[in-house]
Amino acid sequence: MNKTPCFSPAHILLPSEQIPVGQWGCVACDQFTSDRSYWEKAAQAAAGGPSTLDLILPEVYLEEDDVDARISAIHAAMDDYTRNVLTRAVDGFIYVERTEQSGRVRQGLVGRIDLEAYSYAEGAVPAIRPSEHTVESRIPPRMAVRRGARLETPHIMMLADDPGCTLIEPIGEKKEQLRKVYEGDLMLNGGHIAGWAVEDPALLAQINSALNALGSQEAFDARYPQAKGGAPLTLAVGDGNHSLATAKACYEEQKKGKTPEEYLALPSRYALVEVVNNHDDALQFEPIHRVLFGVDHEKFMEEFKKFYPNTHEGKGEGHVIEVCWNGHDDFITVPDPKVQLAVGTLQAFIDEYLKQFGGEVDYIHGDEVTRELGSKEGNMGFLLPAMGKEQLFKTVMADGVLPRKTFSMGHAQDKRYYVEARKIR
């Protein structure tokens, strides 16, 4: 079988230097899904010129009647941009520095991952894995966009557990020797971004060597003694989980009826991503809280204590969760939890409760918003503790993928913006 590294150099396409970054790059399609005005402002910021906004379907429009026409327009724009706009290329990686709203600078490396080394199937242990549960019902609408697409633009961020800073940071130390390929302020307060071409064979070999070391059995056993002897995990999905799953599903679809020699040569075998070190100081994990609607507080707590018999009010040893309802605010503690994170303890029960007794759940960013919504009659809010970055890989080793909506990598404007592109057909 044709083996390649799980993360490798790519033929990366970029627009003409005359196109400003603030016009070209737009935020990930799965952000601002309830804020149509944001996307209207984005269209104004693109000013009718070439923009990655023309190459994506913002999810705020997924339920619109004209979604098929939007997808056709996206594919037409891809054909046009391939011929007339994406006039520059990097054969290698792009080293990225992203200055967030906080002023912190996040370092990354854009390249392609091998979808043969990735799976979102429950229980699978490939070199590349999701960190959160994949909701398969979210994949088909995204496949409708990717099918027939000539290009992909990445908003997927992968994480490497690299405490020694061996993969990305050494490239940053040499950026003055590299060719800068873009720089500018991103649209609508998206912060600043700059990218440098990494094409020197010596640097490419250095990256490959660092990646091999991170993914070795020896390194895996040393980092995760509790999982010693298990299948090594080289990269975990940090953001864009369902977009990567969509790329995988489309690739598997295209493999049908082809020989291994044929399907392993498909451009769709790969997906363009940015890899970030999980130990990057600029990378911040924020909790995603829960609010239940249409539930009775007393019934919920009665069933919760049946589900977790040792539960008690107040803080204690175990998983501590803040609960607010109808103007009240308290803590509950689940001693001796069976999983690593409080969100796993809570989500397991919420799923069962809603299935049996009805109600709805929403996933909320921000403490005050959660308290405000949770205190309204018929609602309950649950504020979860932040997950330390150092817990991510260890928890995936111990429990498998995390519950959906476990954490957020920063605010919406700090997410990855579409800048680079790659041919997938």
Side-chain angles (χ1 to χ4, degrees):
M1 182 173 280
N2 179 21
K3 290 188 177 180
T4 65
C6 67
F7 180 57
S8 60
H11 184 67
I12 303 172
L13 302 176
L14 293 169
S16 162
E17 291 178 320
Q18 279 67 51
I19 299 174
V21 169
Q23 170 187 303
W24 174 252
C26 79
V27 77
C29 63
D30 58 354
Q31 300 302 307
F32 302 102
T33 53
S34 299
D35 186 0
R36 186 181 296 257
S37 68
Y38 175 89
W39 292 101
E40 292 169 351
K41 292 172 187 173
Q44 294 170 7
S51 174
T52 52
L53 184 60
D54 298 330
L55 307 180
I56 66 160
L57 177 59
E59 293 185 8
V60 70
Y61 301 123
L62 269 182
E63 303 300 323
E64 296 293 307
D65 293 336
D66 65 345
V67 68
D68 290 339
R70 286 180 181 274
I71 291 173
S72 295
I74 289 168
H75 292 165
M78 288 179 175
D79 292 342
D80 176 33
Y81 284 14
T82 300
R83 294 191 302 270
N84 303 313
V85 176
L86 295 164
T87 57
R88 297 184 296 147
V90 170
D91 286 295
F93 298 98
I94 294 180
Y95 166 72
V96 176
E97 289 188 352
R98 172 71 180 280
T99 305
E100 300 177 347
Q101 291 175 309
S102 65
R104 294 186 296 261
V105 178
R106 187 177 72 221
Q107 296 174 281
L109 206 57
V110 176
R112 65 181 191 178
I113 60 167
D114 187 353
L115 295 174
E116 287 286 336
Y118 157 75
S119 174
Y120 57 85
E122 292 286 342
V125 287
I128 303 171
R129 302 174 207 171
S131 58
E132 292 187 340
H133 176 69
T134 303
V135 182
E136 295 195 31
S137 62
R138 296 185 64 188
I139 296 175
R142 293 162 175 77
M143 290 181 71
V145 180
R146 195 171 178 94
R147 282 193 194 102
R150 182 182 293 271
L151 299 169
E152 66 172 356
T153 53
H155 77 259
I156 300 159
M157 285 179 58
M158 310 294 299
L159 298 175
D161 190 5
D162 184 17
C165 300
T166 62
L167 181 64
I168 300 167
E169 291 80 0
I171 305 302
E173 292 172 1
K174 299 178 181 177
K175 68 180 181 182
E176 299 305 326
Q177 304 167 29
L178 306 178
R179 174 171 60 96
K180 185 179 285 186
V181 289
Y182 58 73
E183 181 171 19
D185 291 333
L186 293 161
M187 67 168 63
L188 302 179
N189 301 313
H192 191 82
I193 193 168
W196 292 261
V198 185
E199 299 173 306
D200 184 335
L203 291 181
L204 299 183
Q206 177 182 316
I207 291 168
N208 190 51
S209 176
L211 190 72
N212 286 336
L214 287 173
S216 71
Q217 189 72 54
E218 181 181 12
F220 178 84
D221 291 346
R223 288 200 303 273
Y224 317 115
Q226 75 278 15
K228 188 174 182 179
L233 168 60
T234 307
L235 298 173
V237 185
D239 240 346
N241 184 41
H242 290 90
S243 292
L244 187 57
T246 298
K248 175 72 170 181
C250 285
Y251 172 53
E252 292 298 326
E253 190 175 72
Q254 291 180 30
K255 286 169 67 172
K256 293 176 182 177
K258 295 182 175 64
T259 66
E261 184 179 16
E262 290 171 334
Y263 67 68
L264 290 174
L266 290 171
S268 58
R269 172 183 172 179
Y270 303 94
L272 205 60
V273 304
E274 180 179 352
V275 173
V276 175
N277 186 359
N278 192 48
H279 298 267
D280 189 319
D281 289 339
L283 192 64
Q284 301 292 313
F285 283 11
E286 298 180 358
I288 301 178
H289 305 309
R290 272 70 172 150
V291 173
L292 295 184
F293 302 87
V295 296
D296 177 80
H297 166 259
E298 291 186 5
K299 177 67 174 175
F300 182 92
M301 292 308 305
E302 176 187 335
E303 295 297 326
F304 191 90
K305 289 175 181 178
K306 290 180 185 177
F307 199 81
Y308 297 116
N310 295 326
T311 297
H312 62 82
E313 279 80 14
K315 295 183 179 180
E317 292 295 322
H319 285 165
V320 180
I321 302 166
E322 184 178 351
V323 185
C324 51
W325 74 99
N326 200 26
H328 300 279
D329 200 311
D330 202 352
F331 292 88
I332 53 173
T333 296
V334 180
D336 303 316
K338 304 300 185 203
V339 294
Q340 298 287 308
L341 301 176
V343 64
T345 294
L346 178 63
Q347 191 67 47
F349 176 70
I350 284 178
D351 290 343
E352 286 299 315
Y353 183 87
L354 296 183
K355 195 182 301 180
Q356 288 189 53
F357 301 104
E360 296 181 1
V361 61
D362 199 3
Y363 303 91
I364 306 295
H365 299 260
D367 295 2
E368 293 311 311
V369 175
T370 303
R371 290 192 182 97
E372 180 183 350
L373 289 173
S375 292
K376 293 182 178 179
E377 187 173 353
N379 295 356
M380 291 182 70
F382 301 87
L383 287 90
L384 291 156
M387 181 183 74
K389 292 192 296 181
E390 71 284 351
Q391 293 178 276
L392 176 63
F393 280 76
K394 293 177 182 177
T395 303
V396 171
M397 293 300 102
D399 299 342
V401 294
L402 307 175
R404 63 190 180 278
K405 301 290 186 182
T406 292
F407 66 95
S408 173
M409 291 168 56
H411 299 291
Q413 279 106 330
D414 293 331
K415 303 288 186 181
R416 178 161 233 289
Y417 279 53
Y418 304 103
V419 178
E420 306 83 0
R422 187 182 74 91
K423 290 182 183 179
I424 56 173
R425 181 169 60 87

